[in-house]
Amino acid sequence: MLALNIPVLGLSVLSLLVFYKFIIYPAFISPLSKVPTAHWSSPFSPLWILWTRYTNYENRSVHAAHLKHGPVVRLGPNELSVNDLGGLRTVYAGGFEKGQWYSIFDNYGVPCMFSSWHSRPHSARKRMISNIYSKSNLQSSPAFARQAQVILYDRLLPAITSKSKSKSENSRDGFDIMDVFNATTMDFITAYLFGLKNGSNFLQNESYRRHWMSLYHSRKTYTFFPQELPYLTKFFKTLGVYLNPSWVDDANQELEDWCQERCDATSAYLTSASNSDTDAGNEPVVMNAILSGIKKEEKSKGQDSVLNAETLRYPELSIASEMIDHLAAGHETAGITLTYIAWHLSQDIPLQGALRKELLTLDTNMDLSHQASTKQIPNSKELDGLPLLHAIIMETLRLDAAIPGNQPRMTPYPSCTLGPYIIPEGVRVGAQAHSVHRNEAVYPEPEKWDYKRWMDSENGYTEDQKRERDRWFWAFSSGGRMCIGSNFAMLEIKLVIAAIYSNFTTHIVNDDGIEQEDGYTVGPASNQLILRFERVAA
């Protein structure tokens, strides 16, 4: 009888241990048990937050939880979300490391700067290129100026002109401006990476552009399993079960091959023809900087370098990984922002008129009808001094941030403090711009697009209100791992808007599906915006 009871007793003890570990401890004893929960199941299971991510409802669900429970919310047994300045400062300026979630941004089997888990290799990679993305360098770069001149005057404006109708024709036809913006931003970033000679020309090569963009966007919807459940994904793969269709890998491979071709062509150009090329636009600014940085790192530190195991051992793959990361993020985020700027402006013709009036005050304006037009690029410092242009861009970045989703980090050893809570190491914690930008105390009527929030000469804000407004702006993240391309993005966006609205007015033809999707990097649900362009009379 006793022998029969031993297995029963053992099973009972095991059941109690399981109950304690997965129910009692996380709900009542864990340090996280004091944190308000986004869902009743959050202390016991990650299923709720996983389901919201899988169904593309995370940003709205987490935001609702913050509105209900405050600035620190528990999303799962080992995951938190923060939504206050103290939390942002602690997590993003406090040296919290990234984790495996970012490994999906590895390319060619090696990490890039963005996907680096730890701060030391990230900092070593960042040192190679931070200067070339600085505001001062971009403002004085002959290569960037020439690249912008070619892309705007020889590609973008002719493309829009050929697609548009004159005002007298009163045509209701339009075209997908998001497609054009994506082409423009891709041409901008690849020119800066590889030079005009070896960068893309998507504005003029429409058929290949659409093929490339189709590959890029179709595979984006299949990141959930490898990103959120990497071990489960690998386990099923060993059994021959693939949670994503095989064509996703084929699409990723084709995109990587395309980028590798750009890298190889640029390397050959630097070896053979760069010294005799007098066109500043052909300078591969970013690739030059990385090549120089790798040589310097190898010479100065060699095997002692924190990059020895990857970047120094596989330099070609590491360079390609960095390049494809820059061109992917660089074209997509700026393309989304330009699309929403054009959408907001197209609803307000008087605002377009006011913007054009401001743009024409530039010493070197971009009005093609002006007889003295020299097709030069405006001085970037002058562009920065245009308050209406700045306000329109900032408000769009606030309301329609291209990366509104959660940006996770891992809490450090042995613990940290978030608000009133002591949080142990190894907890996933993050913030999302979607919520940071909807603080009603800082941005009244946060769902309303109101560019005057940023017009300090008109909004009557106190110094404290201005300071809080700026401190809560988080479109490019913050801390040592904030977006390295923020200055590049702001400058190219200002130039594109200046080029278009100095010469055209825009009108909505079809904005069905313009509402922003829910996720990490997201744009309009329809992935398009049909506008009609009218040439402004001289």
Side-chain angles (χ1 to χ4, degrees):
M1 188 71 176
L2 180 61
L4 290 174
N5 287 336
I6 289 176
V8 174
L9 180 62
L11 185 61
S12 299
V13 171
L14 181 62
S15 299
L16 287 172
L17 288 173
V18 170
F19 186 73
Y20 173 82
K21 180 177 176 60
F22 293 103
I23 303 296
I24 300 298
Y25 180 80
F28 303 106
I29 301 174
S30 164
L32 273 60
S33 64
K34 299 177 177 63
V35 181
T37 59
H39 187 261
W40 66 265
S41 66
S42 296
F44 321 117
S45 169
L47 288 178
W48 174 79
I49 188 60
L50 288 173
W51 180 251
T52 63
R53 287 173 182 145
Y54 182 73
T55 55
N56 299 318
Y57 211 76
E58 178 184 5
N59 300 347
R60 288 163 286 179
S61 299
V62 172
H63 183 59
H66 279 299
L67 290 176
K68 183 177 181 180
H69 297 295
V72 186
V73 175
R74 190 177 186 183
L75 305 181
N78 201 49
E79 183 174 359
L80 304 176
S81 176
V82 296
N83 189 41
D84 66 343
L85 292 180
L88 293 178
R89 189 162 47 247
T90 299
V91 174
Y92 297 95
F96 286 30
E97 302 285 19
K98 291 186 173 181
Q100 185 161 12
W101 189 86
Y102 288 91
S103 291
I104 198 167
F105 297 102
D106 291 351
N107 308 289
Y108 306 95
V110 296
C112 58
M113 180 183 67
F114 179 75
S115 67
S116 300
W117 287 23
H118 302 294
S119 57
R120 288 187 63 218
H122 169 268
S123 297
R125 291 184 175 97
K126 183 179 179 180
R127 281 195 296 271
M128 297 179 187
I129 56 176
S130 58
N131 178 62
I132 58 173
Y133 280 114
S134 70
K135 193 171 187 177
S136 59
N137 186 80
L138 287 163
Q139 289 176 338
S140 61
S141 170
F144 179 85
R146 173 59 177 159
Q147 290 159 6
Q149 182 185 42
V150 170
I151 292 167
L152 295 174
Y153 286 113
D154 296 349
R155 299 182 190 177
L156 175 63
L157 290 174
I160 292 176
T161 300
S162 70
K163 291 174 178 291
S164 65
K165 303 292 183 179
S166 67
K167 193 173 183 178
S168 60
E169 290 178 299
N170 195 29
S171 171
R172 299 305 302 171
D173 293 339
F175 60 91
D176 180 9
I177 192 59
M178 186 170 187
D179 178 49
V180 173
F181 282 149
N182 281 332
T184 304
T185 54
M186 178 65 87
D187 286 1
F188 258 100
I189 187 59
T190 57
Y192 204 57
L193 296 175
F194 306 117
L196 283 169
K197 182 180 182 68
N198 294 303
S200 66
N201 188 354
F202 279 8
L203 276 166
Q204 293 179 332
N205 191 345
E206 189 171 341
S207 60
Y208 185 73
R209 164 180 102 215
R210 294 193 170 175
H211 170 70
W212 196 99
M213 292 296 175
S214 175
L215 290 176
Y216 182 82
H217 288 286
S218 63
R219 42 152 299 277
K220 271 190 64 183
T221 59
Y222 291 94
T223 60
F224 173 80
F225 287 109
Q227 189 165 37
E228 296 293 343
L229 299 167
Y231 297 115
L232 182 66
T233 303
K234 289 178 182 177
F235 171 73
F236 275 112
K237 193 172 182 178
T238 61
L239 301 178
V241 178
Y242 295 87
L243 299 181
N244 286 336
S246 60
W247 63 261
V248 174
D249 291 336
D250 295 338
N252 283 324
Q253 185 63 55
E254 183 173 342
L255 295 174
E256 286 191 348
D257 290 346
W258 180 84
C259 180
Q260 186 66 64
E261 289 172 6
R262 310 271 78 70
C263 292
D264 293 344
T266 304
S267 295
Y269 167 77
L270 289 171
T271 302
S272 62
S274 60
N275 290 335
S276 60
D277 195 334
T278 59
D279 189 341
N282 287 331
E283 179 188 351
V285 178
V286 179
M287 193 156 167
N288 250 340
I290 294 181
L291 285 167
S292 299
I294 289 175
K295 289 179 182 177
K296 182 178 179 181
E297 184 78 10
E298 193 168 28
K299 184 177 180 180
S300 62
K301 298 181 180 178
Q303 292 186 349
D304 294 330
S305 170
V306 70
L307 300 179
N308 183 59
E310 293 158 345
T311 304
L312 300 188
R313 182 173 295 181
Y314 309 108
E316 292 183 359
L317 293 178
S318 296
I319 291 170
S321 182
E322 201 66 49
M323 296 297 99
I324 198 170
D325 179 70
H326 288 222
L327 69 85
H331 95 269
E332 185 177 15
T333 54
I336 290 168
T337 302
L338 284 165
T339 299
Y340 279 113
I341 291 172
W343 180 62
H344 290 298
L345 284 172
S346 298
Q347 298 173 69
D348 193 335
I349 300 302
L351 180 58
Q352 291 187 49
L355 176 60
R356 184 171 189 269
K357 184 178 179 180
E358 182 182 78
L359 292 170
L360 295 184
T361 65
L362 293 166
D363 287 340
T364 303
N365 68 61
M366 305 184 77
D367 181 5
L368 294 177
S369 66
H370 198 279
Q371 289 185 347
S373 175
T374 57
K375 296 187 176 181
Q376 294 299 308
I377 297 301
N379 181 282
S380 57
K381 293 182 180 178
E382 270 198 279
L383 274 175
D384 286 343
L386 300 181
L388 182 56
L389 175 63
H390 178 75
I392 289 167
I393 294 172
M394 291 294 285
E395 180 64 358
T396 304
L397 287 168
R398 181 197 70 82
L399 184 60
D400 308 300
I403 302 181
N406 187 280
Q407 301 186 39
R409 300 290 190 269
M410 302 303 294
T411 56
Y413 173 86
S415 64
C416 66
T417 300
L418 293 173
Y421 311 109
I422 305 298
I423 308 300
E425 68 167 317
V427 175
R428 175 171 160 174
V429 57
Q432 56 180 33
H434 179 87
S435 293
V436 175
H437 287 171
R438 283 166 173 76
N439 182 343
E440 197 163 7
V442 178
Y443 305 111
E445 298 182 87
E447 296 293 346
K448 177 183 178 182
W449 188 83
D450 181 6
Y451 68 91
K452 290 187 178 180
R453 300 181 203 275
W454 308 91
M455 296 286 289
D456 291 340
S457 62
E458 299 182 22
N459 56 31
Y461 282 14
T462 66
E463 289 304 314
D464 285 343
Q465 286 176 310
K466 295 174 190 175
R467 186 163 45 250
E468 285 299 286
R469 174 200 64 192
D470 295 344
R471 291 172 72 195
W472 281 82
F473 180 77
W474 209 62
F476 299 110
S477 189
S478 57
R481 303 196 69 159
M482 71 176 289
C483 175
I484 197 171
S486 58
N487 294 312
F488 184 93
M490 288 295 286
L491 181 53
E492 83 174 305
I493 288 168
K494 287 182 178 182
L495 285 169
V496 171
I497 294 300
I500 290 174
Y501 287 96
S502 292
N503 296 285
F504 299 92
T505 58
T506 58
H507 309 264
I508 295 172
V509 173
N510 186 346
D511 63 352
D512 292 348
I514 194 62
E515 63 276 2
Q516 192 169 24
E517 289 187 298
D518 193 309
Y520 181 68
T521 302
V522 286
S526 62
N527 202 37
Q528 68 171 19
L529 172 64
I530 310 300
L531 297 183
R532 174 169 53 87
F533 283 66
E534 291 181 355
R535 188 75 164 83
V536 177

